[in-house]
Amino acid sequence: MAWVVVGGNGMLGTDLVEELRRRGCGVRALDLPEFDATEAGCLQALASGQYGRPDWVVNCAAYTAVDQAESEPDRAFLLNARMPGWLADASKRLGARLLHVSTDFVFDGHADGWYDETAAPNPLSVYGASKLEGE
Ligand SMILES: NC(=O)c1ccc[n+]([C@@H]2O[C@H](COP(=O)([O-])OP(=O)(O)OC[C@H]3O[C@@H](n4cnc5c(N)ncnc54)[C@H](OP(=O)(O)O)[C@@H]3O)[C@@H](O)[C@H]2O)c1
C-alpha cells in the first residue's frame, strides 16, 4: 500500500513515515518549505499525482503551538480548520483516502473516564477550537 504523509517532518509524521517504511510500504513525506498545504499550486500538484498515486494521504501537518494560538487565531484556524478541507479535496481528486489526526484538546478534560468518538467536544482554547473545526 502506498502513502503520502503531509507534515512528514513533524513529530508524528517522522514516526509514521519510519513505521510505514519498516513495514515495507511506499511512502512519500511532504512538508514545508517544499510542500505548503495552504498553497493552491501544491494542492494541485498533489491532486494531479505529482507526488505519486497513494492509497492514503495522512495529514500530520498542523499548527501545534497551543499557547501561541491564543494570539494567532487566524493562523491556527487557517492550518487546523481550513487546510484539512483542502487536503480532503485534493485527496479525493487524486483518488486517495485522507486520514486526518485530531487532538484531545477538542474536549474540556472534565470527563470522569475515557473519551470515545461519541463524546461531546468542548474546546477551551483557540487551538482546540481550530482543531474541532477541522474535524
Ligand atoms: N504531539 C502531540 O502530543 C499530539 C497530541 C494529540 C494530537 N496531535 C496531533 O497530531 C498531529 C501532528 O502533531 P505533531 O505533534 O507531529 O506536530 P508538529 O511536530 O508540529 O508537526 C507538524 C508538521 O506540519 C508542518 N506544517 C505546518 N504547516 C504546514 C503547511 N502549511 N504545509 C505543510 N506542512 C506544514 C510543520 O512544519 P514546520 O515545523 O516547519 O512548521 C511540521 O513539520 C496534529 O494534527 C496534532 O494536532 C499531536
Side-chain angles (χ1 to χ4, degrees), residues 60-85:
C60 296
Y63 180 106
T64 54
V66 176
D67 294 335
Q68 202 175 315
E70 298 300 320
S71 55
E72 283 190 331
D74 290 350
R75 181 118 191 101
F77 273 82
L78 176 74
L79 295 175
N80 292 343
R82 302 185 68 194
M83 189 169 77

Side-chain angles (χ1 to χ4, degrees), residues 24-56:
C25 299
V27 189
R28 181 78 189 259
L30 303 176
D31 209 311
L32 294 171
E34 294 80 17
F35 183 89
D36 184 340
T38 65
E39 287 288 332
C42 291
L43 292 163
Q44 175 55 30
L46 176 65
S48 65
Q50 195 170 307
Y51 301 108
R53 294 259 163 215
D55 303 286
W56 286 91

